[in-house]
Amino acid sequence: MSPTRLGQNQYGKAETRVVRVTREGRTHHIKDLNVSVALSGAMDEVHYSGSNVGVLPTDTTKNTVFAFAQQYGIASAEQFGILLARHFVTSQDSIGRARIRIEEYAWERLTEQHSFVRKGQETRTAEVTYDGAGWQVVSGLKDLVVMNSTDSEFWGFVKDRYTTLRETRDRVLATEVSARWRFNWTRDEDPAPQWDESYAQARRHLLEAFAGTYSLSLQQTLYAMGERVVEHRPEIDEVRLSLPNKHHFPVDLEPFGLKNDTPDSAVYFAADRPYGLIEGTVLREGAEPRIPVTD
């Protein structure tokens, strides 16, 4: 008898880039996605003996992404993920669970017709998981850089023999927001959220909470951001945030005979690394955490 056994496993095609151009005469619309498919189910035999009887080739999953984009269009990242996940689970007996991860890249019109420029603010994300009985949809965004040039303090922290950081009552607070939020929609028979509207509003509440919170710590700001989304969006039960602290340190200009703290200006060094990383989850009362802490 072997001393080992197979644990959790999955397979699929990662990062299929698909761009769908919808033409309404001379006016065009663009959907630009990066789609990753992960499938799991009755896959023991292929690992133990190499038998591919139950294996849908990863190349087929790639082709399905392209075919579905043409056949059904891309209404939203979430809806496209739902179509794909349902197809893989219901069309193959060996597949019991499908997880679709999507990044969406936004384009902004340069003209009213067919000229665009790639937006650079953030990347929209979506993760759809289906097991044949229920859904889990987690949307989000990443790479959204924000800054408050004041209304942030940091003091009263623990100090030991290695502490050199000075307390401050006025600092720059900047971060690169990575946020994921889980919908409480799990069943086909229930009305699905309006995915695009929900994304726009969740993003708005994240930004308004960041801008409107007088911050004594980045942890406080994190909680305020997640709390605002949960309070204002009833379709969302959980928000997980990862906020790297993009440190801005005042530059010492005294060696040059300059004072770097005047009423009308200040100069900072924007540090690249190392950086503080603040992470946390905000839950609706009674909800259980389901978004994984790490990928």
Side-chain angles (χ1 to χ4, degrees), residues 178-220:
S178 176
R180 293 177 289 168
W181 50 89
R182 177 175 56 82
F183 293 91
N184 48 39
W185 177 77
T186 60
R187 306 187 307 168
D188 279 318
E189 52 265 36
D190 295 331
Q194 299 296 313
W195 304 113
D196 287 346
E197 174 66 12
S198 185
Y199 175 83
Q201 293 302 316
R203 179 185 185 276
R204 177 174 72 85
H205 287 303
L206 288 171
L207 292 177
E208 289 182 357
F210 177 83
T213 300
Y214 191 103
S215 180
L216 299 177
S217 69
L218 187 52
Q219 287 91 333
Q220 176 195 11

Side-chain angles (χ1 to χ4, degrees), residues 106-110 115-120:
W107 292 82
E108 182 178 354
R109 274 183 199 285
L110 291 177
S115 296
F116 301 85
V117 61
R118 171 81 173 267
K119 282 187 176 180

Side-chain angles (χ1 to χ4, degrees), residues 4 13 43 60 125 127 149 176 181 197 207 243 278 293:
T4 65
K13 187 72 81 176
M43 300 294 166
T60 303
T125 64
E127 178 178 309
S149 56
E176 183 175 297
W181 50 89
E197 174 66 12
L207 292 177
L243 303 181
I278 312 302
V293 174

Side-chain angles (χ1 to χ4, degrees), residues 59-76:
D59 190 66
T60 303
T61 67
K62 174 204 68 178
N63 294 339
T64 305
V65 170
F66 291 129
F68 272 40
Q70 173 60 31
Q71 186 176 1
Y72 301 111
I74 302 172
S76 67

Side-chain angles (χ1 to χ4, degrees), residues 117-230:
V117 61
R118 171 81 173 267
K119 282 187 176 180
Q121 283 192 307
E122 86 271 3
T123 299
R124 178 174 172 175
T125 64
E127 178 178 309
V128 178
T129 304
Y130 183 57
D131 62 4
W135 298 93
Q136 177 168 293
V137 180
V138 178
S139 297
L141 55 82
K142 63 179 184 177
D143 306 326
L144 182 62
V145 180
V146 292
M147 174 191 290
N148 283 334
S149 56
T150 189
D151 287 351
S152 176
E153 306 178 15
F154 191 58
W155 53 273
F157 47 81
V158 174
K159 303 176 183 68
D160 66 11
R161 61 182 295 190
Y162 302 109
T163 301
T164 59
L165 185 68
R166 295 179 180 178
E167 294 187 345
T168 178
R169 304 286 175 144
D170 187 14
R171 66 170 179 169
V172 171
L173 182 67
T175 186
E176 183 175 297
V177 180
S178 176
R180 293 177 289 168
W181 50 89
R182 177 175 56 82
F183 293 91
N184 48 39
W185 177 77
T186 60
R187 306 187 307 168
D188 279 318
E189 52 265 36
D190 295 331
Q194 299 296 313
W195 304 113
D196 287 346
E197 174 66 12
S198 185
Y199 175 83
Q201 293 302 316
R203 179 185 185 276
R204 177 174 72 85
H205 287 303
L206 288 171
L207 292 177
E208 289 182 357
F210 177 83
T213 300
Y214 191 103
S215 180
L216 299 177
S217 69
L218 187 52
Q219 287 91 333
Q220 176 195 11
T221 300
L222 179 150
Y223 186 81
M225 294 168 72
E227 180 183 39
R228 184 177 174 107
V229 172
V230 172

